[in-house]
Amino acid sequence: MRGARSLATCWPVAETLWWEAAMEEPGLSGCPLSAKTASFQDAVRTLNTLQTNANYLEMVKRKRGDPQTQLEAMKLYLARSGLQVEDLDQLNIIHITGTKGKGSTCAFTERILRSYGLKTGFFSSPHLVQVRERIRINGQPISSELFTKHFWRLYHRLEETKDDSSCVSMPGYFRFLTLMAFHVFLQEKVDLAVLEVGIGGAYDCTNIIRKPVVCGITSLGIDHTGLLGDTMEKIAWQKGGIFKSGVPAFTVLQPDEPLAVLRDRAQQISCPLYLCPPLQALEEGGPPLTLGLEGEHQRSNAALALQVARCWLQQKGYQDAGELKASRPSLPGQLPLAPVFQPTPRMQQGLRHTEWPGRTQLLRRGPLTWYLDGAHTTSSMQACVRWFRQALHRCERPDSGSEVRVLLFNSTGDRDSAALLKLLQPCQFDYAIFCPNLAEMASTDNADQQNFTVTLDQVLLRCLAHQQHWSRLHEEQVSPDPWSTPGQEQDGPASLLLAPHPPHTHSASSLVFSCISHALQWITQGRDPLFQPPSPPRGLLAHPVADSGATVLQEAAAIHVLVTGSLHLVGGVLKLLEPSLSQ
């Protein structure tokens, strides 16, 4: 290595060749495999050919056309697949969008309604470990067999109906999975389908639905600016595109300007839009609600999920939908408030049993505690840091020995990684580790995590840029900790301050690894009882920072590892730490 802030391992030529070979693997294009003989991995590899090549993606961004034509194209794909838009009305859809928390809100909503004995479908993105996670029945990813059957049925149907005059015979990756979800849910005869918007709302391919039962919008923030716009108002306009005439919609409290945009969008098409009261209002007069997902920010998601689920139950004629409490009047010129009601025992059960991996998730393994959260916007990162610091404040301190804090980070797309890293700085990490969202270097059998929308050079340079940002933050004069609250005692219940954490001589150390597996091998030092990979490659520890840090990690009484910045990174870590998720 060339110094403390260089690659901990080199990217061998073989790795570059593997990446290029994956792009051109024979058998994935041209004549498709037989549905009877093809395996689940064959289906996933063929699905991956529908990803947009990185170079073509850049060209498309520069020559963006009318986005409305994308929705029309999706309707044509739906027709070619054997369905009409009207057929989707049977799915009794709940449509959810937002910038942060939309997946968690969908998970809460699905689990609440499943507690009523309903058969649920749930379409979400992205997946963490296996692509079949995106399509769930009764909270469980569809089986490999069911995925394979529906994949080839849809793939062959689209092949048979392609127009020779058209240059595009197949929908892209996300469109294909959206179409497949519709077919699966109809074939499996679900009572309802919860649909999470992919990006935005107005022009997202899930928005071909015409009659959802209810819609919801979670907290808004700045994300996907290249597609949605660079202001909250522009993003709110996109998100409000899922509103439908006469279909009830709910949103959580938003800043005034984007909330006004949502209100205007709803009024223009006669969509009844309601503002959710805080969860505290629903708890008054009863016991506090227990949530299956950690973090204070999940209370806002749960409040929205309760309103959406209750509205769905009412629309479908269910009587047990929660007793109304005294209503609170809306202020003039503001959105009407959604009803304040007493959550039913089944609603409480649903909230309590909600699971949503990769979001404020804790794994305790020997001396290691893993904190997993796919936060990737400034607002969601603020919530992640608050959760992480609260969790650290609650955990027991070891009787003897040192504690080590490690950050494992990556960020992709057009996100401001420097801003995200600045928010993480007050956590007082001993080590910051950066790596691409690539679980292992020899991933020839790992089709679920292949990504052709970026090149190897791009992801490596991005990690180096993250490391440089982190280094500059430590070289600058650090401003007072924005997370501490003046006047609070450190041991006070509302304090987010960390327990005493004496500085180490290596407190600003950072390393870049070539894949997640190598990063985890260094972090765990063989001390995670379930993560026991083969011997690390030669040269993995051939650097002073890696070598000295290994000794510190081997001797630490407790190691706290925050994995954040990208859901894909979290998914790669979970794949390695929880092998059962790949089965």
Side-chain angles (χ1 to χ4, degrees):
M1 278 185 45
R2 296 184 295 273
R5 295 181 172 89
S6 301
L7 280 173
T9 59
C10 297
W11 289 66
V13 173
E15 294 169 3
T16 306
L17 294 177
W18 167 81
W19 191 274
E20 293 172 350
M23 293 286 288
E24 301 174 353
E25 187 171 350
L28 300 189
S29 57
C31 182
L33 297 163
S34 164
K36 292 183 179 180
T37 60
S39 68
F40 170 67
Q41 286 298 314
D42 291 328
V44 176
R45 290 190 183 99
T46 305
L47 173 66
N48 285 345
T49 67
L50 304 181
Q51 292 187 33
T52 308
N53 177 276
N55 294 330
Y56 180 74
L57 193 61
E58 285 302 313
M59 182 183 73
V60 169
K61 286 181 180 178
R62 290 193 298 269
K63 299 180 179 180
R64 189 175 303 135
D66 181 4
Q68 184 63 37
T69 61
Q70 303 301 314
L71 281 181
E72 297 305 317
M74 184 64 180
K75 292 177 184 177
L76 292 175
Y77 285 125
L78 184 70
R80 282 175 51 196
S81 77
L83 294 176
Q84 298 299 319
V85 174
E86 293 78 8
D87 297 325
L88 305 182
D89 298 346
Q90 304 170 42
L91 293 177
N92 299 316
I93 289 170
I94 296 171
H95 206 194
I96 304 290
T97 189
T99 304
K100 58 176 181 175
K102 61 182 189 289
S104 298
T105 300
C106 287
F108 278 129
T109 303
E110 182 276 332
R111 190 62 185 84
I112 289 169
L113 292 172
R114 185 154 39 101
S115 296
Y116 279 77
L118 295 162
K119 185 175 183 179
T120 62
F122 179 9
F123 177 65
S124 64
S125 61
H127 62 275
L128 293 178
V129 178
Q130 295 196 63
V131 66
R132 59 191 182 88
E133 298 165 23
R134 296 182 183 225
I135 305 174
R136 296 172 181 257
I137 302 292
N138 285 334
Q140 295 301 311
I142 60 174
S143 67
S144 299
E145 294 76 17
L146 193 63
F147 184 97
T148 304
K149 181 183 81 171
H150 281 286
F151 174 85
W152 289 115
R153 181 180 293 172
L154 177 58
Y155 190 93
H156 288 304
R157 175 70 176 171
L158 292 170
E159 277 284 316
E160 292 163 2
T161 57
K162 67 181 179 183
D163 183 354
D164 292 336
S165 64
S166 172
C167 61
V168 179
S169 62
M170 280 287 172
Y173 185 93
F174 184 76
R175 284 183 182 177
F176 189 98
L177 288 171
T178 306
L179 291 170
M180 186 171 154
F182 290 147
H183 280 270
V184 170
F185 295 155
L186 286 167
Q187 288 289 318
E188 296 298 311
K189 295 182 171 56
V190 299
D191 295 315
L192 67 117
V194 179
L195 296 188
E196 178 190 356
V197 167
I199 295 177
Y203 305 118
D204 185 76
C205 65
T206 63
N207 205 31
I208 61 170
I209 61 173
R210 56 175 206 152
K211 286 186 178 179
V213 176
V214 59
C215 298
I217 295 185
T218 67
S219 295
L220 298 181
I222 300 294
D223 196 18
H224 299 295
T225 54
L227 293 170
L228 306 181
D230 55 2
T231 68
M232 291 276 280
E233 292 84 350
K234 292 177 182 177
I235 290 171
W237 189 93
Q238 293 281 351
K239 305 291 183 182
I242 69 168
F243 295 154
K244 304 292 187 293
S245 178
V247 174
F250 297 85
T251 185
V252 297
L253 186 63
Q254 313 280 4
D256 290 344
E257 292 79 6
L259 189 62
V261 173
L262 292 178
R263 182 192 61 213
D264 293 345
R265 283 279 260 167
Q267 288 177 347
Q268 288 167 7
I269 61 167
S270 300
C271 164
L273 176 62
Y274 301 94
L275 183 64
C276 294
L279 197 62
Q280 180 182 354
L282 277 62
E283 292 174 315
E284 290 177 0
L289 294 169
T290 302
L291 306 185
L293 305 183
E294 291 201 10
E296 186 68 20
H297 58 289
Q298 294 293 357
R299 290 177 60 82
S300 170
N301 299 329
L304 176 57
L306 283 168
Q307 294 290 347
V308 167
R310 181 177 187 272
C311 179
W312 191 95
L313 290 166
Q314 286 188 318
Q315 295 282 313
K316 294 301 171 182
Y318 284 77
Q319 300 301 313
D320 183 21
E323 183 179 347
L324 280 178
K325 299 180 180 180
S327 60
R328 300 184 178 188
S330 302
L331 296 176
Q334 292 190 348
L335 287 178
L337 283 175
V340 177
F341 63 94
Q342 178 65 49
T344 67
R346 285 187 279 194
M347 291 176 179
Q348 295 174 39
Q349 176 190 354
L351 291 176
R352 188 167 58 249
H353 292 155
T354 298
E355 296 179 355
W356 195 228
R359 288 80 170 177
T360 60
Q361 181 180 4
L362 264 72
L363 293 175
R364 293 184 174 88
R365 313 268 278 265
L368 289 114
T369 303
W370 301 89
Y371 304 78
L372 306 165
D373 190 78
H376 51 271
T377 68
T378 53
S379 53
S380 61
M381 188 60 75
Q382 286 173 329
C384 171
V385 168
R386 189 175 295 112
W387 162 69
F388 176 65
R389 298 184 72 167
Q390 287 175 329
L392 283 177
H393 192 67
R394 290 195 303 266
C395 73
E396 288 187 23
R397 313 254 74 84
D399 294 332
S400 61
S402 63
E403 290 187 74
V404 179
R405 296 183 192 134
V406 181
L407 170 66
L408 180 56
F409 179 90
N410 192 32
S411 179
T412 61
D414 56 4
R415 297 176 177 97
D416 187 349
S417 57
L420 299 180
L421 289 169
K422 188 169 186 177
L423 289 170
L424 287 160
Q425 194 182 17
C427 293
Q428 301 175 14
F429 292 106
D430 299 295
Y431 296 97
I433 309 301
F434 305 98
C435 68
N437 298 337
L438 185 62
E440 299 172 280
M441 294 315 304
S443 337
T444 53
D445 61 341
N446 186 25
D448 281 282
Q449 303 219 339
Q450 287 180 347
N451 182 1
F452 298 156
T453 64
V454 290
T455 66
L456 184 63
D457 288 344
Q458 287 173 333
V459 296
L460 177 55
L461 290 172
R462 181 86 178 209
C463 290
L464 292 170
H466 296 157
Q467 190 184 42
Q468 291 166 0
H469 287 315
W470 187 258
S471 301
R472 281 197 292 269
L473 286 171
H474 280 283
E475 290 166 0
E476 294 171 356
Q477 289 292 330
V478 181
S479 59
D481 184 350
W483 295 96
S484 60
T485 305
Q488 286 184 340
E489 296 297 326
Q490 179 146 331
D491 294 328
S495 174
L496 297 183
L497 294 177
L498 296 172
H501 186 62
H504 297 293
T505 56
H506 55 272
S507 60
S509 298
S510 62
L511 295 165
V512 175
F513 289 91
S514 54
C515 66
I516 297 170
S517 179
H518 291 176
L520 296 193
Q521 288 177 59
W522 183 81
I523 293 169
T524 61
Q525 295 295 315
R527 302 182 70 189
D528 186 304
L530 295 183
F531 177 66
Q532 297 293 329
S535 299
R538 292 179 61 187
L540 186 65
L541 304 180
H543 181 272
V545 171
D547 191 31
S548 63
T551 302
V552 172
L553 291 164
Q554 289 163 7
E555 297 175 351
I559 304 169
H560 302 278
V561 188
L562 174 62
V563 183
T564 191
S566 166
L567 271 171
H568 300 286
L569 174 67
V570 169
V573 170
L574 278 173
K575 172 183 169 60
L576 296 172
L577 295 182
E578 300 275 21
S580 61
L581 295 175
S582 299
Q583 296 172 358

